Amino acid sequence: MGAITLAALLDKHGLDRATLVKVDIEGAELPMLESTSLQTLQRVDQFTLEFHDFVAPSQADDVHRAKQRLRISET
């Protein structure tokens, strides 16, 4: 199966809004969040994500930025 964007996945299932989206894409969570528009992020009420910044401390800044971006999408 090929890659699909979050927007395309929501559209494919006819979802204007999703209550919960669980993301487990083996380390590709950060690139997915960075490449997803704020408009699409705002279509999701809650994300469940797993970051590995505790294993790779070099990702700490990227994880912090992703969390900030998700907070911005709440508004």
Side-chain angles (χ1 to χ4, degrees), residues 22-70:
K22 181 178 189 278
V23 180
D24 185 3
I25 49 179
E26 302 306 320
E29 290 82 359
L30 287 171
M32 186 274 300
L33 289 174
E34 291 167 357
S35 66
T36 302
S37 72
L38 284 176
Q39 181 182 12
T40 298
L41 294 175
Q42 289 172 335
R43 293 171 65 184
V44 178
D45 292 334
Q46 180 178 332
F47 283 94
T48 299
L49 298 150
E50 181 180 81
F51 295 116
H52 296 99
D53 53 322
F54 61 93
V55 174
S58 62
Q59 291 183 349
D61 289 341
D62 294 332
V63 169
H64 177 73
R65 278 192 296 280
K67 288 178 181 178
Q68 289 296 98
R69 192 151 193 263
L70 288 170

